Amino acid sequence: MATDITVPSLGESVSEGTIAEWLKQPGDAVAVDEPIVSVETDKVTVEVPSPVAGVIGELKAEEGDTIEVGAVIASVEEGGAPAAKGDEAGRAKQQSDAAPKDKGNEQDSVPNSTGEVSGTDFDAAALSPAVRRAVLEHGIDPANVKGTGKDGRLTKEDVLAAAKAKRDAPAPSQAEDAPVPAPAASGARNEERVKMTRLRQTIAKRLKSAQDTAALLTTFNDVDMTAVIETREKYKDSFAKKHGIKLGFMSFFAKAAHLALKDVPSVNAQIDGDEIVYHDYVDVSVAVSAPNGLVVPVVRDVDKKSFAQIELDIADFGKRAKDGSLTMDDMKGGTFTISNGGVFGSLMSTPIINPPQSAVLGLHRIEDRAVVVDGEIVVRPMMYIALSYDHRLIDGREAVTALKIIKEAIEDPARILIDL
């Protein structure tokens, strides 16, 4: 008996998605609750599991197709045996043995390590379209590349890394009578068109909407990171031993932001029509880099959580963002955003708010700079911080005050402990 696989609910206000990748192909065996397809929505990628055990039947949508919630996208034959096994596999082998072993044999082919196309027992059907394109373009044998994706699947980055290693490897010596390959055409100018993912399209729309709707303004300050760096160095070993997580900068800034948002409530508020919504809690959206773009999962109740719990939450979000297991609930809500461009080397930026929020804190790289302290020039580890805000709701005085509170709390972390 065949069981239809339908698109499940993808979250509040989400009515459709895009087939990102088929994890199973017709004839593949599947267990109960085993993922068979990943569906990309405006915010996250969701894996759809099989409700029954059996064999994958017909796929009714292709990768890249837009599908609505509730639509039938595949079927599973319950209790069946995988195709191309048992008698069918034996017959296939006999036919293969009987066929003449020459270059005319038809078989799935992929490029080998020399860039030539040759037969392989690697499952080329398991590769996503982007990976297959990269394999063919760079002449890489996927059987010789270790996959770093989920369940060991090959990613485009794996292929590009293998291609770079191949280019950097010393060329093998050639015999004097070996034919010299014709030189590649010089001045080649290649282009590639890739359809924007739904996530990237949504990011583009939301950021442009923020610019079109909000009255954006950014205020800057710089922070002496000496005290936080010394605190981390002093307690890092005991902190990691007790809590099982490293003490990072983000927990300090999250706690410092809580002090600022409590004293300047408008920075933690949002505009809803002709009303202002104030929040008596602090849910911080943390910008995390994922393979398909920037996502902002929410660390909830920062005002009530310890440094350790904040660090554990952020580490968990980072891990799940990489393997694509963030859920819609992880992304919902948020009253304030912290974006750390410093991990990528950014010295200064003007971050864009995350609607409907009204403010975002931008962190940047730490670098030694000469500053004047008590009338003397000293070298200190300094960081520029930026607060972008919606001027429709937040006045300049309030924004500057909030950023100053964050600066003072970071330069003197004791303020966080005594709620000053």
Side-chain angles (χ1 to χ4, degrees):
M1 182 177 69
T3 299
D4 288 337
I5 306 299
T6 60
V7 181
S9 174
L10 300 173
E12 184 180 356
S13 76
V14 179
S15 61
E16 63 181 22
T18 300
I19 299 292
E21 181 181 4
W22 281 106
L23 308 178
K24 295 289 184 178
Q25 296 296 322
D28 290 349
V30 63
V32 177
D33 293 331
E34 184 177 2
I36 63 172
V37 63
S38 60
V39 177
E40 187 179 74
T41 71
D42 293 347
K43 295 183 178 180
V44 295
T45 298
V46 179
E47 290 188 342
V48 179
S50 173
V52 296
V55 175
I56 299 296
E58 179 187 2
L59 303 184
K60 300 182 179 180
E62 298 182 356
E63 293 181 356
D65 286 354
T66 297
I67 36 87
E68 296 182 352
V69 171
V72 177
I73 55 175
S75 63
V76 175
E77 297 289 341
E78 297 182 44
K85 290 188 178 181
D87 295 337
E88 292 186 8
R91 286 195 299 269
K93 186 177 185 304
Q94 291 175 2
Q95 293 173 0
S96 175
D97 293 341
K101 296 181 180 180
D102 57 23
K103 295 182 180 180
N105 287 344
E106 294 184 359
Q107 55 183 328
D108 289 338
S109 301
V110 294
N112 61 23
S113 58
T114 63
E116 299 172 348
V117 175
S118 64
T120 178
D121 59 0
F122 187 86
D123 186 6
L127 302 179
S128 68
V131 174
R132 285 197 294 269
R133 184 166 55 248
V135 163
L136 293 171
E137 180 180 347
H138 296 283
I140 298 299
D141 184 354
N144 296 331
V145 181
K146 183 179 180 181
T148 60
K150 190 170 184 180
D151 298 329
R153 289 198 296 272
L154 211 59
T155 67
K156 183 177 180 181
E157 289 71 22
D158 296 331
V159 177
L160 296 179
K164 184 178 184 301
K166 180 175 141 183
R167 288 194 303 269
D168 294 343
S173 58
Q174 296 183 345
E176 292 184 0
D177 56 349
V180 178
S186 60
R189 291 157 57 86
N190 299 321
E191 293 182 352
E192 180 183 10
R193 287 182 180 268
V194 179
K195 185 178 180 181
M196 291 176 67
T197 63
R198 295 183 67 89
L199 176 59
R200 176 52 60 186
Q201 292 179 45
T202 301
I203 291 172
K205 290 177 182 178
R206 287 174 61 83
L207 295 183
K208 185 56 182 173
S209 174
Q211 288 184 320
D212 292 341
T213 304
L216 291 178
L217 190 62
T218 305
T219 183
F220 299 91
N221 215 319
D222 60 355
V223 178
D224 184 346
M225 297 292 292
T226 301
V228 168
I229 291 175
E230 290 178 350
T231 301
R232 290 181 68 210
E233 187 63 28
K234 181 177 180 180
Y235 296 109
K236 66 178 183 180
D237 293 336
S238 54
F239 186 90
K241 183 177 180 180
K242 180 176 181 179
H243 301 292
I245 189 71
K246 292 182 180 179
L247 179 59
F249 291 127
M250 287 296 290
S251 54
F252 283 94
F253 278 101
K255 283 295 189 181
H258 162 235
L259 293 182
L261 302 182
K262 184 181 67 173
D263 287 356
V264 189
S266 61
V267 181
N268 196 42
Q270 67 185 56
I271 294 177
D272 184 10
D274 59 356
E275 297 179 333
I276 299 175
V277 181
Y278 292 95
H279 306 100
D280 65 354
Y281 54 89
V282 177
D283 288 351
V284 176
S285 301
V286 180
V288 176
S289 180
N292 292 331
L294 194 70
V295 294
V296 279
V298 181
V299 180
R300 307 190 190 280
D301 298 318
V302 165
D303 48 322
K304 300 175 184 177
K305 287 183 176 177
S306 65
F307 278 68
Q309 189 57 56
I310 293 172
E311 293 291 351
L312 287 167
D313 287 352
I314 293 174
D316 177 59
F317 286 145
K319 178 179 180 297
R320 291 197 287 133
K322 290 181 179 178
D323 61 27
S325 61
L326 286 174
T327 67
M328 297 294 292
D329 288 338
D330 294 327
M331 319 287 285
K332 290 168 57 177
T335 62
F336 182 76
T337 294
I338 299 178
S339 177
N340 186 6
V343 297
F344 304 111
S346 172
L347 176 64
M348 186 179 293
S349 68
T350 55
I352 300 177
I353 63 173
N354 179 26
Q357 298 173 20
S358 298
V360 53
L361 175 67
L363 310 182
H364 303 91
R365 76 169 184 253
I366 301 170
E367 63 176 9
D368 290 339
R369 292 203 299 269
V371 295
V372 178
V373 178
D374 298 328
E376 295 184 356
I377 299 176
V378 296
V379 176
R380 293 290 176 85
M382 303 297 293
M383 175 196 287
Y384 289 117
I385 57 176
L387 184 74
S388 290
Y389 58 98
D390 188 347
H391 212 340
R392 297 178 301 165
L393 171 60
I394 304 169
D395 294 331
R397 176 181 61 84
E398 295 173 313
V400 172
T401 299
L403 196 61
K404 184 171 178 288
I405 292 173
I406 294 173
K407 168 184 169 69
E408 292 173 344
I410 295 298
E411 292 184 340
D412 183 7
R415 286 174 171 267
I416 299 174
L417 300 178
I418 62 179
D419 193 15
L420 183 58

